Amino acid sequence: MANAQPQTSGIKIAQPGWDSRTCPDYQLIFSSSWPSITIAFDQVVSGTTNSFGFLKFTVPHNLGFYPLTMAWQFSDSTQTAQLGRVFPDMDKTNVYFNSRIGQFTPNTTYYFNVKCFNLDISYPQSYTYLQSASFNTAYDASYGIKVAKSKKNVYSTDLRDFVLHSRAASPQVLAVITEQSLSTPITSGNTGKISFTNPQGYVPWLFAYVAFKNTDGSTYYAWAPPYSQSYPAVAINTDGKGTSTLTIINTATALPYGSIIALRDPLFVSTYQRVTY
Amino acid sequence: MAASDDNLMQVSQIGTTTKNAAGSQVTFNTKYPFAKLDKTNPVSFQNISIQFYTEPPAPSGTYPDIGPTTTLVYQFAHGYTYVPSTWFLMQVTPSSTVSYPPVNYQQEGTNAFFLYLGPGTGAGLTITTDATNVYFYVDKYYGGSFGLPNIIGYVLNIRAYVFVDDLSGK
């Protein structure tokens, strides 16, 4: 697996009073070597179910790699509410919506926002575990970095207008584990297991995918949920520091490729909300 | 810094030239906006713990009243004027009175079962978001068999991200 080395070049901005060359990660406002999640494709799409309630449509992303992909289902055509996140299939060119992502009413049009992140799930990577802050420092609007999107004003107060803004932080990639971590390839009719051991003290954001063969012989990836009783499924360790495993099988249609993608929280402290019902 | 062109800046991983870098080899490119959590918005990154001291209602179990019976158990204002993208990760601390909780962990808190007693009987969490609030609903299913899907004593621990980024695709 390729270990992403700490960058010796790039952009690094420290909080006021700290030396960006020597300060800990959590005192940095921004570092271009952080493997932050960025959005490479973002579109609203729709598809109509058939008379049996099956949903099937394709959305080209044309990124040329297998991107980590998520979609949010809208409640209806008004798109004034979203019902949550789903994980459609994808390959190097397209996102595939099908009935694996939910249950649908026949002859009904469904609307989704689909986002492909600039993260190739077939490309193994391991990143340094950055230390989080134990407390938050106040945001200083007079200091930092911001890059506005094309044709947007850099003085905008709407964070959506920015590619990058030091008032915002992103989830980061910890590791992409693929079948390449196996000592030997999975031969036909056999299975293999890839695993990820979490260095964090909490349950990680962990997504898993396995590969299948398209009708044209090309490869696509399907999400492996953590709760499925059948293939594909990932067993996520729940105590925070354990090992999670993904079984990969090699059959006529299931290809011997798979990925575990582990993310970490952004480098600022969460708030805690206790609710009783 | 002035408003960017799409390819104003790019930083690639060590050993990869910026010219040839693609996908994960690109660590920073102004063409790809960051997924943004506003550090000044206290609800952007939360750990929410919902503990049940009261039993949300269940269907009667007599067809057709078999569920889902949906109950709003929590909501919060996200502070934006549009529908944001969200991530939720739910962990469940089951009641000790349930000897066989088949699911004690869910990646995603939408339509996510956290109690399954048998076919057609259980409880799940659905999280929806509109232009003002994030809503947490418990959905109960009961088909008259396997016992009532009672959840008093359950604790749902939810890691929540509410992103700045909207779902307009623009």
Side-chain angles (χ1 to χ4, degrees):
Chain A
M1 183 190 312
N3 283 306
Q5 300 296 318
Q7 299 283 91
T8 52
S9 59
I11 306 165
K12 210 179 217 186
I13 298 171
Q15 291 180 358
W18 290 84
D19 186 335
S20 64
R21 296 166 298 180
T22 57
C23 73
D25 296 311
Y26 55 82
Q27 295 293 358
L28 289 174
I29 291 171
F30 175 73
S31 169
S32 60
S33 70
W34 287 344
S36 298
I37 293 289
T38 58
I39 303 166
F41 178 83
D42 188 356
Q43 195 167 307
V44 173
V45 298
S46 63
T48 302
T49 53
N50 67 11
S51 59
F52 299 102
F54 289 113
L55 183 69
K56 187 176 182 180
F57 66 98
T58 299
V59 178
H61 61 70
N62 294 318
L63 292 171
F65 60 89
Y66 301 100
L68 177 65
T69 300
M70 302 174 190
W72 288 261
Q73 183 181 338
F74 290 108
S75 57
D76 54 37
S77 62
T78 65
Q79 300 171 24
T80 52
Q82 54 113 329
L83 305 179
R85 186 171 55 159
V86 295
F87 296 86
D89 302 342
M90 111 299 289
D91 64 15
K92 287 184 175 182
T93 308
N94 296 316
V95 178
Y96 300 98
F97 285 81
N98 54 48
S99 291
R100 233 192 331 252
I101 62 172
Q103 293 182 322
F104 302 102
T105 303
N107 301 316
T108 304
T109 300
Y110 289 88
Y111 297 81
F112 301 86
N113 171 267
V114 57
K115 296 186 195 302
C116 299
F117 297 98
N118 186 43
L119 175 66
D120 184 347
I121 66 166
S122 70
Y123 184 76
Q125 285 282 278
S126 178
Y127 293 93
T128 304
Y129 179 59
L130 305 174
Q131 293 301 311
S132 293
S134 56
F135 58 92
N136 279 331
T137 52
Y139 169 67
D140 183 347
S142 63
Y143 198 89
I145 181 173
K146 53 185 178 179
V147 179
K149 291 179 180 173
S150 182
K151 299 182 176 59
K152 296 293 184 181
N153 192 324
V154 77
Y155 297 108
S156 168
T157 56
D158 188 338
L159 283 181
R160 289 178 296 176
D161 291 343
F162 293 88
V163 171
L164 164 67
H165 196 300
S166 47
R167 202 177 97 199
S170 308
Q172 296 179 12
V173 185
L174 258 182
V176 179
I177 315 290
T178 75
E179 73 288 343
Q180 295 177 49
S181 68
L182 297 171
S183 54
T184 56
I186 306 166
T187 53
S188 179
N190 288 313
T191 65
K193 285 189 177 183
I194 61 174
S195 62
F196 170 72
T197 300
N198 182 29
Q200 308 168 101
Y202 56 87
V203 176
W205 293 102
L206 194 146
F207 309 99
Y209 287 83
V210 294
F212 291 93
K213 193 181 288 183
N214 261 323
T215 50
D216 63 0
S218 61
T219 301
Y220 73 93
Y221 280 82
W223 182 57
Y227 47 79
S228 172
Q229 303 282 321
S230 59
Y231 191 80
V234 61
I236 298 179
N237 185 282
T238 57
D239 69 7
K241 284 198 168 181
T243 298
S244 299
T245 57
L246 173 69
T247 299
I248 303 167
I249 62 176
N250 185 355
T251 66
T253 54
L255 298 172
Y257 315 129
S259 300
I260 292 177
I261 301 101
L263 304 184
R264 57 152 299 142
D265 287 328
L267 297 177
F268 68 97
V269 180
S270 69
T271 55
Y272 176 71
Q273 188 68 42
R274 184 171 181 269
V275 178
T276 57
Y277 178 82
Chain B
M1 182 177 294
S4 72
D5 292 320
D6 278 353
N7 286 303
L8 179 67
M9 275 194 295
Q10 174 161 300
V11 179
S12 62
Q13 285 184 350
I14 285 179
T16 307
T17 65
T18 53
K19 185 180 176 184
N20 298 326
S24 303
Q25 296 168 328
V26 177
T27 59
F28 174 62
N29 188 323
T30 50
K31 186 168 66 174
Y32 299 145
F34 285 63
K36 293 181 287 293
L37 295 165
D38 185 350
K39 292 187 279 190
T40 65
N41 181 349
V43 304
S44 67
F45 175 21
Q46 296 180 88
N47 284 294
I48 302 166
S49 181
I50 306 176
Q51 185 158 9
F52 291 93
Y53 289 100
T54 306
E55 195 63 57
S60 68
T62 302
Y63 187 83
D65 185 24
I66 57 174
T69 297
T70 298
T71 305
L72 178 68
V73 296
Y74 180 56
Q75 69 181 66
F76 66 84
H78 53 62
Y80 301 113
T81 55
Y82 51 85
V83 184
S85 64
T86 53
W87 295 10
F88 300 103
L89 184 154
M90 178 175 72
Q91 284 179 272
V92 182
T93 304
S95 164
S96 59
T97 59
V98 176
S99 59
Y100 178 58
V103 176
N104 66 355
Y105 174 82
Q106 293 278 357
Q107 180 81 37
E108 177 65 41
T110 299
N111 295 318
F113 264 67
F114 59 88
L115 171 64
Y116 176 81
L117 297 176
T121 302
L125 185 73
T126 291
I127 305 173
T128 67
T129 306
D130 64 17
T132 307
N133 293 318
V134 178
Y135 305 90
F136 297 74
Y137 298 94
V138 165
D139 299 316
K140 281 194 171 183
Y141 300 82
Y142 178 51
S145 304
F146 309 109
L148 287 166
N150 293 332
I151 60 171
I152 284 180
Y154 270 63
V155 180
L156 307 182
N157 295 306
I158 300 160
R159 191 178 310 155
Y161 288 173
V162 180
F163 288 89
V164 168
D165 313 293
D166 63 28
L167 301 176
S168 67
K170 296 174 184 169

